[in-house]
Amino acid sequence: MSFVLGTAQLGSNYGINNLVGQPRCEEANVIIRTALQNGVRFIDTASAYGSSEQIIGLALSGVDRSQLTVLTKLSPLESLGLKASEKDVNRQVEKSVY
């Protein structure tokens, strides 16, 4: 069995039940490292999750990542519109990845 840590709450004030807001960086670090120590092998994130990608990067500094996969999603392509050319879509995807 594989466990996944979702990180939208680590990078923003996300969630209907989130009464305390975004955790401080130190708290996020403890959450991530505790999850890894308890069998989490996947971390789910996205650039749309505020600062979560940066927070994850800091928390994983110096950590053996050989058993870990970070899954991140592309930025929403909504700004392109429905009639965007393939070239424009490809350009936006590359920009999101970098």
Side-chain angles (χ1 to χ4, degrees):
M1 180 183 300
S2 297
F3 298 101
V4 180
L5 174 66
T7 62
Q9 295 88 349
L10 299 183
S12 64
N13 293 322
Y14 175 84
I16 193 166
N17 291 321
N18 184 349
L19 303 177
V20 296
Q22 179 181 355
R24 293 185 338 262
C25 193
E26 298 81 18
E27 293 171 314
N29 190 355
V30 170
I31 290 167
I32 292 169
R33 292 194 177 217
T34 301
L36 296 176
Q37 292 169 358
N38 286 282
V40 167
R41 294 296 170 250
F42 297 91
I43 296 178
D44 172 63
T45 190
S47 59
Y49 294 175
S51 58
S52 68
E53 291 175 323
Q54 292 83 11
I55 289 168
I56 292 165
L58 290 171
L60 296 179
S61 177
V63 171
D64 175 17
R65 293 180 248 173
S66 63
Q67 302 294 313
L68 177 66
T69 300
V70 176
L71 309 162
T72 190
K73 293 168 276 309
L74 297 173
S75 297
L77 302 176
E78 59 203 16
S79 65
L80 291 174
L82 295 175
K83 296 186 178 189
S85 69
E86 184 177 343
K87 181 178 179 181
D88 288 339
V89 171
N90 288 339
R91 185 179 304 125
Q92 192 67 25
V93 167
E94 284 189 31
K95 181 179 176 185
S96 178
V97 170
Y98 291 105

